Amino acid sequence: MTAKVLTFGDIFTLAGKERAKDSDLPVMSITRASGLIDQSEKFKKRVASSDTSKYKVVESGDLVVGFPIDEGVLGFQGKYPRAIVSPAYDIWRVKEGLTADRDFLEYYFRSPRAIAIYTAKMRGAVNRRRVVPKQDFLKIPVPFPPLAEQKRIAAILDAADDLRAKRREAIEQLDELLQATFLDLFGDPVTNPKGWEVGEIQEGGNVVTGSTPPSKLEGMFDGPIPFVTPGDLKESWTSSKRSVTENGAAKSRVVEAGATFVCCIGATIGKMGKALGRSAFNQQINAIEWGADIESNYGLELMRFYKEKIASDGASTTLPILKKSLFQKISIPLPPFSLQQQFADTVSAVEEQKARYHNHLDELDTLFASLQSRAFKGEL
């Protein structure tokens, strides 16, 4: 059945005229993955300016639209009767007398079909600040079947999305298992309650600061060797978007599989990852090539406990930076290698299970995208 199609302006009216002033309302932020959430969930603390008087009041049921819109950065506010959001966000309210299922609408507005429409209509020179002009936003087509059909479609998508959430949660639990195993075997490395022998990072391995090949020279990029930047660093692995040739690698820095990458400059200071193979990397990253006394999986998990220290030690300047000379002098525990290998065996088993879970999650993502496509074509 083909659904009736309305425009965004048929459904919503612009709201958000009320300002927070001196009210003490919850502060919320937009995320690509989870929509509208408490700001403390996004940043682990409240980061809004102490003066929130100009923040916009968002009522329960209002739609908050952030940026970049072509990444689906929007969501309905359903947690509080009233909250406040950044004045940079737009707030939209369903028109009086119109009944709609907000879950259905949010799934649509965050769908690939809707994102393709935003992308085609975006304007602006700065990529992540480009927006859809309001007059164009109001004309965006929205499938609008009867309310019962909206609820049925939303329920199907909810069920599929729940499966994806459970798989992601299982992956997170495996990461927590590794951390718990590490603490059981070694204790917190920062406080070293088990009294292991300690040494500086530079005694456990060789610290290398990356560099970027000159882009003016031909034949530097698009080769077989991954070129890692801070945006490529994940919790336990690294997947680079760029690569370099052998000539490019010669103009950069290269480490072998097992090295630990640590971002030591900028907003992502303390972010870490592992080289899965021979890799080049940029100047924002220090890499540790572990020596004979440090097992690489132990080394990576060990360094995660120093993330706060690295961020704190590098926060004394306007641009956060921890120099290599200070980074490599951080003291770390050096437990027996046999115990490190025991932990590495656990890592191998967990990573194997995580790979299966990631493959299943990819399948669920494909299923969800198919359901979305069919739902908003009226084929579900």
Side-chain angles (χ1 to χ4, degrees):
M1 180 181 68
T2 303
K4 177 173 66 173
V5 177
L6 300 180
T7 66
F8 190 92
D10 292 330
I11 303 170
F12 292 94
T13 186
L14 192 61
K17 295 181 180 179
E18 182 182 354
R19 301 292 170 155
K21 297 182 180 179
D22 59 353
S23 62
D24 186 22
L25 294 172
V27 183
M28 304 191 78
S29 289
I30 287 284
T31 67
R32 178 174 58 182
S34 304
L36 195 65
I37 61 173
D38 283 309
Q39 192 178 79
S40 59
E41 292 181 48
K42 181 176 180 180
F43 297 104
K44 307 302 180 187
K45 62 180 179 178
R46 176 170 167 154
V47 298
S49 164
S50 57
D51 179 13
T52 58
S53 61
K54 294 183 179 180
Y55 274 50
K56 295 178 180 179
V57 175
V58 53
E59 306 279 351
S60 177
D62 286 350
L63 175 67
V64 181
V65 178
F67 45 82
I69 187 60
D70 60 335
E71 294 182 9
V73 183
L74 51 78
F76 281 96
Q77 200 283 97
K79 188 171 184 179
Y80 302 105
R82 287 159 60 86
I84 57 175
V85 296
S86 167
Y89 296 158
D90 285 334
I91 299 175
W92 300 89
R93 186 167 298 156
V94 175
K95 290 183 175 180
E96 288 189 19
L98 187 66
T99 305
D101 185 88
R102 289 174 174 81
D103 289 338
F104 170 85
L105 291 176
E106 183 158 344
Y107 276 126
Y108 173 70
F109 293 139
R110 291 161 64 89
S111 72
R113 182 178 178 184
I115 287 173
I117 296 174
Y118 309 148
T119 302
K121 295 178 177 291
M122 289 177 72
R123 301 290 182 270
V126 181
N127 189 38
R128 291 186 64 81
R129 293 280 172 167
R130 297 175 71 222
V131 299
V132 178
K134 285 187 175 61
Q135 65 270 23
D136 293 335
F137 208 84
L138 292 170
K139 297 175 183 177
I140 289 174
V142 182
F144 203 81
L147 182 62
E149 180 68 2
Q150 293 181 34
K151 290 182 178 294
R152 185 185 73 85
I153 291 171
I156 293 172
L157 294 176
D158 274 340
D161 205 23
D162 282 346
L163 289 175
R164 298 196 303 164
K166 288 176 181 177
R167 183 53 72 223
R168 285 192 291 266
E169 182 180 352
I171 293 171
E172 291 174 2
Q173 288 173 346
L174 286 174
D175 287 331
E176 291 170 3
L177 172 63
L178 279 182
Q179 187 176 72
T181 302
F182 185 97
L183 288 171
D184 182 56
L185 289 173
F186 309 109
D188 185 336
V190 177
T191 57
N192 195 20
K194 298 198 175 188
W196 304 116
E197 178 186 350
V198 299
E200 296 177 346
I201 289 177
Q202 62 186 347
E203 296 177 65
N206 179 42
V207 179
V208 183
T209 301
S211 64
T212 300
S215 58
K216 293 181 179 179
L217 295 181
E218 292 185 6
M220 294 289 103
F221 292 93
D222 299 323
I225 304 169
F227 181 71
V228 179
T229 65
D232 300 320
L233 301 180
K234 312 298 180 185
E235 283 301 309
S236 59
W237 54 281
T238 300
S239 177
S240 65
K241 297 177 182 177
R242 302 179 70 188
S243 62
V244 294
T245 61
E246 288 291 347
N247 288 338
K251 297 288 186 179
S252 180
R253 300 285 189 277
V254 176
V255 291
E256 300 299 325
T260 295
F261 292 124
V262 183
C263 180
C264 287
I265 183 172
T268 54
I269 187 170
K271 197 175 181 183
M272 301 180 192
K274 178 172 65 177
L276 299 184
R278 182 168 177 253
S279 304
F281 52 104
N282 79 353
Q283 60 274 14
Q284 292 176 275
I285 295 173
N286 282 329
I288 311 168
E289 295 181 294
W290 298 107
D293 294 331
I294 300 289
E295 200 286 326
S296 60
N297 291 295
Y298 167 79
L300 173 62
E301 192 67 30
L302 164 79
M303 291 307 301
R304 287 205 186 103
F305 287 87
Y306 290 88
K307 182 174 181 178
E308 289 186 6
K309 174 177 174 55
I310 291 168
S312 176
D313 289 353
S316 59
T317 57
T318 302
L319 176 67
I321 181 171
L322 182 61
K323 295 180 179 179
K324 175 185 172 182
S325 58
L326 296 177
F327 174 75
Q328 63 186 6
K329 289 184 178 180
I330 293 175
S331 293
I332 58 173
L334 306 171
F337 191 83
S338 60
L339 201 60
Q340 297 179 40
Q341 187 59 56
Q342 182 179 332
F343 175 71
D345 292 341
T346 302
V347 171
S348 295
V350 167
E351 290 299 326
E352 185 177 333
Q353 184 64 41
K354 281 176 67 176
R356 287 195 288 267
Y357 282 178
H358 276 294
N359 287 337
H360 188 211
L361 182 57
D362 288 342
E363 293 172 0
L364 291 173
D365 286 342
T366 300
L367 171 63
F368 185 77
S370 174
L371 289 173
Q372 275 187 315
S373 177
R374 292 169 55 197
F376 302 125
K377 290 180 181 177
E379 299 174 356
L380 191 60

